[in-house]
Amino acid sequence: MIVAIIDGYTDEPAGLGVPPYLGLYPRYAYGAIKKARKDANVFYLTIDDLRATFEGEQGIKTKNKTPNFPNVKKILEKAEVIVFIGGLHTPGKYLSAVPGSVEEVSKFISSYKAVKILGGPAFMGSAKMGGVKITTKELRFAEEVFDHIVYGDLEAFLFDYFSGKDLNPFRFRDYEELQPYALLGAEVVKQFPGYPEFVLVEIETQRGCPKAMGIGGCSFCTEPVRYRAVENRPQEYVAQEVEAFYNLGIRHFRIGRQSCIFSYKATPNGRVPIPNPEEVEKLFRAVRLVAPNVKTLHVDNANPAVIANYPEESRRIAKAIVKYGTPGNVVAFGLETADPKVARINNLNATPEETYEAVKIINEVGGKRGYNGLPWLLPGINIIFGLPGETKKTYELTYEFLKKILDDGLMVRRINIRQVVVFPGTPLWNMRDKVKTEKHKALIEHYRHKIRHEIDLPMLKRVVPVGTILRDVRAEIYSGELTFGRQFGSYPLIVGIPKKVELNKYYDVMIVDHGLRSVTGIPVPIDINRESSKVLKWLPGIGKKTLIKILAKRPFKSEQEFLSLLPENAREMYRGKVKL
């Protein structure tokens, strides 16, 4: 039996599955099929495989890579079952992979005879831009193209389907049922583009929202809609899955898939659960025991209200994350707005005061620079524009809050600004006529621009000053004569290199300039005798006159000879960073 899993990539509030991230859904699906049918031949394809294969056909135009499998059509022709996984609920910007929609994949697979199953968050629709208009067109395509749409857990449905059991598309599994699927499913990573070196695996630790169990979830969030109760995955299950991937050669992990890592195994307590440092440390200790030489061990979301209201417990958790993790780590705080009125209307997580305190605590614990060039652990801030209740004052309050963080000398790794997206089943669906994305379009663009230029840029200069060396930056794509790369991590910083370098190699890069949300860097050591003037002109502390002198004096016989041409205040920056 041949089964094709097509990964359209997923991005949702508590999970990411866009390359280089290998998401949960295809792994669990693969494992459930293998658990039910050992004889199944399961192929993992990506939406990029289909795009590249069908380019130019059926009027489809794409800019694509070579397919991971050269025989994609043959696989689809012979497949008895095609499983498509997709769903974009928290859209972002992606460097080298773009999520696919139900509408897009339907053009590729509708003509094949296989039984077609839709899984992942796509059953609620997807959205690339904010606003009230959710993609009902996509949902219509789903009903026309797919024989089964799974509203519960895809892996539970697939196990029942391939075991010949009664089907319930709303069935959920628990962690005990999931564990064999997760362990068997690890094997699918061998079919992932970039395996084994260029893969980051997210490991599930919890689902549901602890805060939502007390007073309900945030108005826009799909997490408490999909998962009505909070369930914490046992530490030994997490460690077993990490070990399975580690034994397959994977070295990049995010202990994620949760709404708040500080609320792992927390005690319910209304709006703010009481954190349990012992259980969180036990989690990370268990992971490190089975994966001692990881290159990346990061986390994802955190509720700033938990950190602010339980500072001592939260400091212990943050210290454990630093102790067992790797530098460049980020905890994303869902502030969304600094307007108390909007926060009340939308039942948001934390107040600006709580978020500020949480930013301070994480800076205290994690602000020291690590061996890869980035601070060990920093907060990120999530902002959503267009929420019901917003006025012009709302945007100013949010801007002033972010400005205070900057002015007070604190660090935030990144600020995500999104327009709100309305999904059926969320509380926001009942307030959709009050969403302000269209009415406040000009305001949204004004404050986005203002935050990017007046907050993001100086903040980035603080987090990675000129001269900082970022270690192990993977060169990922070309854009004209530039190369763009990034380190592996939860929220990696995009680095533009002002020349073409070999892709899929790691480089140590010296930061020479800052953009609004990215940086420019030059690989070190700098080949000072052979590097082009187009690259050398980026070197900080070296003006046009000095550059002319450098070019005229080449080749240099020693580092000191080169340094002697530089202004005194720039010499230390380049000491030990050139080669002859």
Side-chain angles (χ1 to χ4, degrees), residues 33-53:
I33 296 166
K34 284 291 190 179
K35 175 73 174 171
R37 288 285 300 267
K38 291 183 175 62
D39 63 328
N41 194 3
V42 186
F43 290 93
Y44 169 85
L45 308 174
T46 70
I47 190 67
D48 284 315
D49 289 327
L50 271 66
R51 288 167 177 157
T53 298

Side-chain angles (χ1 to χ4, degrees), residues 16-92:
L16 180 61
V18 182
Y21 277 81
L22 172 58
L24 309 174
Y25 296 102
R27 289 149 39 194
Y28 295 171
Y30 182 98
I33 296 166
K34 284 291 190 179
K35 175 73 174 171
R37 288 285 300 267
K38 291 183 175 62
D39 63 328
N41 194 3
V42 186
F43 290 93
Y44 169 85
L45 308 174
T46 70
I47 190 67
D48 284 315
D49 289 327
L50 271 66
R51 288 167 177 157
T53 298
F54 292 96
E55 184 168 9
E57 293 186 15
Q58 307 165 26
I60 299 163
K61 293 183 180 179
T62 58
K63 288 165 69 178
N64 285 294
K65 319 159 188 174
T66 304
N68 198 36
F69 285 100
N71 54 343
V72 168
K73 287 185 182 179
K74 191 175 289 185
I75 292 169
L76 295 175
E77 286 167 1
K78 292 187 175 182
E80 292 182 40
V81 178
I82 295 173
V83 180
F84 176 68
I85 294 163
L88 191 61
H89 285 188
T90 51

Side-chain angles (χ1 to χ4, degrees), residues 127 129-134 385 419-423 428 435 437-438:
M129 293 297 294
V132 176
K133 292 181 181 176
I134 123 145
F385 286 155
Q419 292 185 53
V420 68
V421 181
V422 185
F423 287 99
L428 189 60
V435 168
T437 48
E438 291 302 318

Side-chain angles (χ1 to χ4, degrees), residues 143-379:
E143 292 172 355
E144 291 175 357
V145 172
F146 290 90
D147 300 287
H148 301 281
I149 298 173
V150 179
Y151 303 94
D153 284 322
L154 175 63
E155 57 272 18
F157 181 87
L158 291 174
F159 180 78
D160 292 345
Y161 180 89
F162 285 95
S163 300
K165 296 183 177 181
D166 292 339
L167 297 180
N168 177 3
F170 295 92
R171 186 171 86 79
F172 287 88
R173 45 75 180 169
D174 58 21
Y175 281 129
E176 186 175 352
E177 179 187 349
L178 172 69
Q179 195 62 5
Y181 308 156
L183 298 183
L184 287 169
E187 184 180 82
V188 79
V189 74
K190 294 179 181 178
Q191 299 183 46
F192 190 76
Y195 170 80
E197 192 169 3
F198 304 121
V199 187
L200 195 156
V201 173
E202 182 163 57
I203 304 293
E204 181 174 349
T205 53
Q206 180 194 73
R207 62 181 187 174
C209 175
K211 172 242 179 186
M213 295 301 100
I215 60 168
C218 300
S219 67
F220 55 85
C221 188
T222 57
E223 182 74 6
V225 174
R226 296 191 67 198
Y227 309 113
R228 300 290 179 177
V230 173
E231 188 179 7
N232 293 289
R233 192 178 185 196
Q235 286 97 333
E236 60 269 26
Y237 285 3
V238 172
Q240 286 167 11
E241 189 180 12
V242 169
E243 185 175 26
F245 280 108
Y246 192 81
N247 290 339
L248 288 165
I250 302 305
R251 294 295 180 267
H252 302 287
F253 294 92
R254 181 163 83 172
I255 306 303
R257 187 55 190 87
Q258 85 284 304
S259 61
C260 175
I261 189 63
F262 285 73
S263 297
Y264 175 75
K265 292 199 172 181
T267 302
N269 185 43
R271 182 178 75 92
V272 186
I274 303 171
N276 191 331
E278 291 80 11
E279 293 293 336
V280 178
E281 180 155 11
K282 182 180 172 184
L283 170 70
F284 285 98
R285 189 188 309 121
V287 168
R288 270 299 201 174
L289 280 172
V290 298
N293 296 313
V294 291
K295 294 179 179 177
T296 304
L297 187 62
H298 283 184
V299 295
D300 187 11
N301 300 311
N303 182 351
V306 173
I307 299 170
N309 283 280
Y310 296 97
E312 292 312 309
E313 293 89 340
S314 295
R315 280 189 179 90
R316 288 173 59 191
I317 290 172
K319 286 176 181 178
I321 292 171
V322 169
K323 177 181 177 180
Y324 295 104
T326 58
N329 209 344
V330 179
V331 281
F333 291 165
L335 171 67
E336 322 307 355
T337 181
D339 186 336
K341 176 187 170 188
V342 176
R344 283 194 302 273
I345 291 171
N346 292 278
N347 196 34
L348 301 184
N349 274 336
T351 66
E353 294 77 17
E354 288 170 332
T355 304
Y356 181 84
E357 284 304 309
V359 168
K360 276 181 63 178
I361 289 168
I362 297 301
N363 270 256
E364 289 167 15
V365 175
K368 184 179 178 181
R369 198 166 302 278
Y371 54 80
N372 69 353
L374 288 171
W376 276 90
L377 178 67
L378 289 181

